[in-house]
Amino acid sequence: MVDMEVQERVDKLEEAMMRLVYIQQKTEIEIQNLKTEMKIFKDEIRNDTKMLKDEMKVFKDEMKMFKDEMLDFKNDVKAFKDEMLEFKNEMKAFKDEMVEFKEWSKRNIENMNKQWGALANKMGTLVEDIFAPSIEIALKNYFDVLPEIIDVRKYIRRGGESLEIDILALNESEKKAFVVEVKANPDKVEYIEDFVKKLERLREFLPTLKEYRLYPIYAALDMKAKTVEVLTSKGIYAMIVKGDILKIVNFEKLSEKNI
């Protein structure tokens, strides 16, 4: 009985030992598999890390290139702005020079016109030298009319009386007559009154003008504002020399009155 019990115990012990060995072997296999898997995982992590580092390096290089390009672009923009600022300064200087030149030219033209006008006054040739050569352009600018006939120093005798017109410009197609009276001393009131009387009798001396609309123009190198006011009140255009052109200084006011 004792031997059987011992044998049974021995058998159980051997079985237990075998199970232990099996478990140990299985554990070693699993550990070995785990080691293998860990190695693979580590290799993958290492490879992924290397790839990530490589990609990060490429990204950093690209970022550096981008930053360098942006810096070059900023420098180019700054250089362009500096060039534009320099160009603006040069343009401003040029404009200032042009303004000075225009003012200088205007002063010289006005001075030359005054000298020319003074000489014409002395010689009595204001009409021929200054107003007659430019009257066509002035009428075109202000009235949009080109005269077909321009008579200078037109002298008319009728019976025992006579009448002289400094400039008579006619547009026959539109039946418009421009009567220009030129004065060296325009601010004398009696001169304006004489011109008004001349206009009243003009159609007596020139019956053909009865079909025409008359545009009276009182002209001088310059005239006072008060003289212009008097002319405007009488419906007479006031013409002066401004720079190198003939200017009607009350044109807008008379146009408003005629509307």
Side-chain angles (χ1 to χ4, degrees):
M1 285 293 292
V2 174
D3 291 336
M4 290 179 66
E5 290 178 0
V6 170
Q7 184 63 41
E8 185 177 349
R9 289 181 179 177
V10 170
D11 292 340
K12 287 182 179 180
L13 181 62
E14 286 179 354
E15 184 181 353
M17 288 295 291
M18 288 178 68
R19 286 182 178 176
L20 181 61
V21 170
Y22 174 75
I23 291 171
Q24 183 181 359
Q25 288 177 347
K26 185 178 179 181
T27 300
E28 287 178 358
I29 292 170
E30 290 178 351
I31 290 172
Q32 186 64 36
N33 291 336
L34 180 61
K35 285 181 179 180
T36 302
E37 290 177 357
M38 284 299 294
K39 184 177 182 302
I40 293 171
F41 177 73
K42 285 181 181 180
D43 291 341
E44 290 177 352
I45 291 294
R46 190 178 295 109
N47 292 334
D48 291 343
T49 301
K50 185 176 182 303
M51 288 177 62
L52 181 62
K53 286 181 178 179
D54 293 340
E55 290 176 357
M56 285 299 296
K57 184 177 183 305
V58 171
F59 177 73
K60 286 181 179 179
D61 292 340
E62 290 177 350
M63 283 300 296
K64 185 177 182 303
M65 289 177 61
F66 176 74
K67 287 181 179 179
D68 292 341
E69 290 175 357
M70 285 301 296
L71 181 61
D72 291 340
F73 176 73
K74 287 181 179 179
N75 291 335
D76 291 342
V77 170
K78 183 178 182 302
F80 177 74
K81 286 182 177 179
D82 292 340
E83 290 176 0
M84 286 301 296
L85 180 60
E86 185 178 352
F87 176 73
K88 285 182 179 179
N89 291 335
E90 290 176 354
M91 285 300 297
K92 183 178 182 302
F94 176 73
K95 286 180 179 179
D96 292 341
E97 290 176 0
M98 285 302 296
V99 169
E100 291 179 4
F101 176 74
K102 285 181 179 178
E103 291 176 352
W104 177 85
S105 298
K106 183 180 177 182
R107 287 194 302 269
N108 278 272
I109 289 172
E110 289 178 351
N111 185 48
M112 287 177 63
N113 282 339
K114 286 179 181 178
Q115 292 178 11
W116 186 16
L119 180 61
N121 276 343
K122 290 180 181 179
M123 299 178 65
T125 56
L126 267 178
V127 175
E128 293 84 351
D129 289 350
I130 295 179
F131 289 94
S134 302
I135 194 66
E136 182 177 355
I137 296 173
L139 296 181
K140 176 62 179 174
N141 289 340
Y142 284 99
F143 301 97
D144 195 26
V145 170
L146 278 175
E148 296 152 352
I149 298 172
I150 298 178
D151 278 344
V152 179
R153 300 288 190 186
K154 186 174 182 63
Y155 187 82
I156 310 139
R157 186 180 297 277
R158 185 179 177 84
E161 296 180 297
S162 63
L163 184 143
E164 184 178 357
I165 303 172
D166 291 331
I167 302 173
L168 178 63
L170 302 178
N171 183 282
E172 295 179 321
S173 57
E174 297 184 30
K175 298 300 180 183
K176 292 181 179 180
F178 300 89
V179 184
V180 184
E181 182 83 355
V182 180
K183 292 296 181 185
N185 299 305
D187 298 313
K188 291 184 178 182
V189 178
E190 56 266 32
Y191 286 170
I192 299 174
E193 297 298 335
D194 290 342
F195 184 43
V196 172
K197 292 175 182 177
K198 182 183 293 186
L199 292 170
E200 291 172 350
R201 301 196 63 192
L202 184 61
R203 289 188 174 92
E204 294 178 24
F205 286 84
L206 290 172
T208 54
L209 294 183
K210 290 179 181 179
E211 300 176 3
Y212 284 72
R213 179 179 175 181
L214 294 183
Y215 293 83
I217 300 174
Y218 190 77
L221 292 175
D222 199 4
M223 62 184 72
K224 294 179 180 178
K226 181 64 178 176
T227 302
V228 176
E229 290 177 8
V230 173
L231 292 169
T232 304
S233 67
K234 295 181 181 295
I236 300 172
Y237 293 97
M239 177 180 284
I240 64 172
V241 178
K242 195 71 174 177
D244 57 349
I245 62 172
L246 300 182
K247 181 176 181 180
I248 298 178
V249 292
N250 62 346
F251 184 80
E252 288 78 11
K253 289 185 178 179
L254 283 182
S255 296
E256 292 171 2
K257 287 177 66 175
N258 293 330
I259 292 175

